[in-house]
Amino acid sequence: MNSEQLPVISQSPIAGRPHKNTGWRLFLQTVIARAYPRVVGQQGEKSWMFFDVLLPLGGVIAYVCVYKAIGAPEDYVGFVVMGGAMTAFWMNVLWSMSSQLYWEKEQGNLALYIMAPNSMMAILLGMALGGMVATTLRALVITIIGSLMFQVQYVVSSYLQLFAVFILAMTALYGMGMMFASMFLLLSREAWHLSNLAQEPVYLVSGFYFPIRNFPFWIAAASSIIPLTLGLDAMRQLAFASGPTLGFISVGIEIGVLAVLCVVFLTAAHFLLAYMEKLAIREGRLTESRR
Amino acid sequence: MDFAIQTEKLSRIYKIRGGKKSEPKSLAALSDINLEVHRGELFGLLGPNGAGKTTLIKVLTTLLAPTSGQAWVAGYDVAKDPEKVRPRINMVSGGESSGYGLLTVRENLWMFSQFYGIPSGEANRRIKQLLEIVGLADRLNTKSSDLSTGLRQKMNIVRGFLTDPEVLFLDEPTLGLDVGASREVRRFIRQWIDENRARTLLLTTHYMVEAEELCDRVAIVNQGKVLACDTPASLKRRLQQDVLFRLETSPLNGVGAEIFQSLPGVRKVTHRPQDGFAVLELILEEDSILSSVVNAMTTANICIINLQKREPTLEDVFVDLVGRSMEEVESSEQ
Ligand SMILES: Nc1ncnc2c1ncn2[C@@H]1O[C@H](COP(=O)(O)OP(=O)(O)OP(=O)(O)O)[C@@H](O)[C@H]1O
Ligand SMILES: [Mg+2]
């Protein structure tokens, strides 16, 4: 047998050379491995029920009460429940994506990620995927509780489109998170403040709790840069009887814009990441700031 | 050229951004380092705090760009071909807190193995095997946040060995470990390198014994420069013509060790005040010089409690090269 050219070291107590995948297999392995702690870790935290479910639900209840008091159209209640569910994704992107690479740096993980032969893009994708999966569970819980509580009536005109819009909105949103993560890489504690700053205004302009049609056109158009804005608007149009009459622009156009956003954000993330990595290596800022 | 690691006039200058008013200063953490580490070698970098050891490891592991000069690891230029270097190396630092505390020991190690493309099943097999060797097998399913410092460090070290790198970098692998754990870690490191001469390991330390007992060759570094590089035995042989004495005396009471330093034939004197007495380490050109030192002491009213002739250690080599002990260098840094 001369297929075994390598010296025989497999009997050694300290295991010999392992097989190592490269290329797309390595990429996929990296995505899954980095998603893993997200999925396992987030469920392990007992406090998630409170922060990730009860807080958004509180917002939902407050808005529903106001709408009932002022006699807003019945479907507004459903809009709010859906918006409340989607805020979970927004919070996840802000708190667990954007500032994440900064925490990874402090922890010492970032250097190990960069030193390994994987692609950093795979690390970010894994972070996004894991966050998305874990957050979907929360969003579902919010949707179910909210819908039962206020007896929301759904009239879905196209399940296929609804699903497509959701996926596109998620891809674009997490693409944006990946882009922010690269941008925040070289920031220190400011990353955290920036996230804090972005949380509330986005709730407002993205129309989490009311349709953006109520805004002047250009404000609505500008806030469409945040993928959840159009995603939410399109999902409302597709899932409620009065949705189409309260929508911002046609679902078709919204799908088109979302697709463009996906490409733009993911491409930007890719290039920014490469640039930031180079810069960090040049300036010696890949490791924690303490030492 | 079959060097596992090679550097040529390697320098790294850090820009230090001070407050708003102060000018940005620059600090040469590495200056003109030339090193050649052979395949199969266990190579040590020995130096005090701030010597530049970690900086050198960062450059060699593609995490930091050199300011000038070049470095090759496993035959590839670290600055130009990092993607060629990375699959062939791994690095562990003492006291690192990598991974995720919520994951178990196995899960953390598995995650890192995936970033190197090791198939899941094989990774899990290796993790078990390695944990058994370091005596951590019973902690396979312990959350890594629940591990003690020593066990935690063993886990980190397993992470480095898991991918069986061609070149492994260990930055102060026994930092913060107790005597027993340090010994186990050192034994494991030695075993790993002895098993397969295709492996190369570079470690940094500021423990003299570690460099002396563990390493095939040692480079003594201080202030970003390599002062000497050889086997521990050859380094000590430089002092063979010299004689070394260790003296315990009554406190020097303000008399500086310099007065002995200036005596003819005295090469180096280091002084360490202890509780109620003083320790003087003398490097002399020959035995007979001792009498003039003893005379000088008598004149200064210092009495000798204990006197011992001894074999040179790497500590003495450091003193001979730098003029001060590593301890003195470190305390003067603050
Ligand atoms: N990112 C950085 N920015 C500025 N200066 C730095 C940076 N990292 C290290 N230094 C400085 O460079 C010098 C060398 O540091 P380095 O960490 O390489 O030393 P070391 O030999 O590893 O020391 P130790 O034994 O304390 O780990 C020190 O003076 C240190 O303060
Ligand atoms: Mg160091």
Side-chain angles (χ1 to χ4, degrees), chain B residues 94-164:
Chain B
E96 70 176 40
S97 54
S98 61
Y100 300 95
L102 283 162
L103 298 187
T104 65
V105 170
R106 188 197 64 77
E107 288 169 328
N108 265 312
L109 291 170
W110 170 82
M111 181 184 79
F112 282 108
S113 75
Q114 297 306 288
F115 301 155
Y116 287 77
I118 302 175
S120 224
E122 191 172 349
N124 281 325
R125 219 170 25 250
R126 291 175 65 82
I127 289 167
K128 254 196 155 149
Q129 236 174 339
L130 285 165
L131 287 179
E132 252 156 46
I133 295 170
V134 299
L136 213 60
D138 55 332
R139 300 306 173 99
L140 198 66
N141 295 315
T142 305
K143 273 192 188 174
S144 65
S145 56
D146 294 342
L147 293 177
S148 67
T149 320
L151 297 184
R152 159 101 227 181
Q153 184 59 7
K154 280 185 180 173
M155 178 185 95
N156 294 339
I157 286 183
V158 167
R159 176 179 65 67
F161 290 104
L162 188 55
T163 59
D164 197 50

Side-chain angles (χ1 to χ4, degrees), chain A residues 9 12-21 26 29-30 33-34 36-37 41 104 107 109 111-118 123 277 281-287, chain B residues 12 17 58 61-65 86-87 90-91 97-100 102-103 107 111 114-119 122 126 129 133 159 163-164 188 191-192 195-196 199:
Chain A
I9 43 179
S12 109
I14 305 171
R17 195 132 291 174
H19 176 74
K20 289 179 190 170
N21 291 321
L26 172 61
Q29 274 184 289
T30 304
R34 184 56 193 86
Y36 182 79
E104 302 277 21
Q107 202 73 30
N109 288 330
L112 298 180
Y113 292 160
I114 289 190
M115 190 185 64
N118 57 30
I123 293 278
E277 181 183 325
I281 287 176
R282 199 163 61 224
E283 297 194 351
R285 288 166 71 179
L286 274 184
T287 33
Chain B
R12 171 71 208 194
R17 281 155 301 210
K58 281 187 195 163
T61 52
T62 76
L63 296 174
L64 184 66
R86 288 171 183 170
N90 209 334
M91 187 249 302
S97 54
S98 61
Y100 300 95
L102 283 162
L103 298 187
E107 288 169 328
M111 181 184 79
Q114 297 306 288
F115 301 155
Y116 287 77
I118 302 175
E122 191 172 349
R126 291 175 65 82
Q129 236 174 339
I133 295 170
R159 176 179 65 67
T163 59
D164 197 50
F188 181 63
Q191 192 184 345
W192 185 78
E195 268 194 5
N196 182 347
R199 293 166 173 164

Side-chain angles (χ1 to χ4, degrees), chain B residues 78-327:
Chain B
V78 292
K80 294 202 188 94
D81 291 320
E83 70 289 345
K84 292 269 176 37
V85 175
R86 288 171 183 170
R88 297 174 163 82
I89 61 168
N90 209 334
M91 187 249 302
V92 180
S93 324
E96 70 176 40
S97 54
S98 61
Y100 300 95
L102 283 162
L103 298 187
T104 65
V105 170
R106 188 197 64 77
E107 288 169 328
N108 265 312
L109 291 170
W110 170 82
M111 181 184 79
F112 282 108
S113 75
Q114 297 306 288
F115 301 155
Y116 287 77
I118 302 175
S120 224
E122 191 172 349
N124 281 325
R125 219 170 25 250
R126 291 175 65 82
I127 289 167
K128 254 196 155 149
Q129 236 174 339
L130 285 165
L131 287 179
E132 252 156 46
I133 295 170
V134 299
L136 213 60
D138 55 332
R139 300 306 173 99
L140 198 66
N141 295 315
T142 305
K143 273 192 188 174
S144 65
S145 56
D146 294 342
L147 293 177
S148 67
T149 320
L151 297 184
R152 159 101 227 181
Q153 184 59 7
K154 280 185 180 173
M155 178 185 95
N156 294 339
I157 286 183
V158 167
R159 176 179 65 67
F161 290 104
L162 188 55
T163 59
D164 197 50
E166 277 176 47
V167 186
L168 178 60
F169 297 89
L170 300 177
D171 194 3
E172 318 235 5
T174 58
L175 188 78
L177 297 188
D178 63 36
V179 183
S182 300
R183 195 182 306 124
E184 279 179 46
V185 165
R186 285 203 285 268
R187 190 170 44 94
F188 181 63
I189 291 172
R190 191 69 246 181
Q191 192 184 345
W192 185 78
I193 199 88
D194 286 342
E195 268 194 5
N196 182 347
R197 299 311 275 182
R199 293 166 173 164
T200 308
L201 196 149
L202 181 141
L203 66 81
T204 74
T205 179
H206 58 240
Y207 303 126
M208 297 289 174
V209 225
E210 195 156 295
E212 204 159 331
E213 287 175 3
L214 190 58
C215 298
D216 298 325
R217 279 198 308 149
V218 176
I220 296 181
V221 287
N222 191 35
Q223 295 186 336
K225 296 197 181 71
V226 174
L227 303 177
C229 174
D230 216 327
T231 61
S234 306
L235 285 172
K236 286 185 287 187
R237 215 168 296 134
R238 304 160 143 250
L239 297 178
Q240 202 141 64
Q241 279 85 2
D242 302 327
V243 270
L244 282 76
F245 289 98
R246 182 175 188 278
L247 273 76
E248 286 173 24
T249 65
S250 58
L252 297 193
N253 291 331
V255 178
E258 303 83 53
I259 66 153
F260 309 118
Q261 180 78 65
S262 58
L263 295 170
V266 175
R267 300 218 16 207
K268 257 351 87 69
V269 180
T270 59
H271 166 221
R272 228 172 331 131
Q274 302 272 327
D275 193 20
F277 62 102
V279 176
L280 291 174
E281 303 277 2
L282 308 177
I283 304 180
L284 309 176
E285 274 166 21
E286 51 189 80
D287 280 325
S288 58
I289 311 292
L290 185 64
S291 61
S292 61
V293 177
V294 172
N295 282 340
M297 284 187 173
T298 320
T299 321
N301 254 337
I302 298 166
C303 39
I304 296 170
I305 304 165
N306 191 354
L307 186 150
Q308 199 183 346
K309 185 173 176 179
R310 56 177 189 80
E311 289 300 306
T313 64
L314 284 187
E315 176 87 53
D316 304 309
V317 179
F318 186 88
V319 170
D320 188 49
L321 288 166
V322 179
R324 291 185 296 171
S325 72
M326 232 160 77
E327 216 174 310

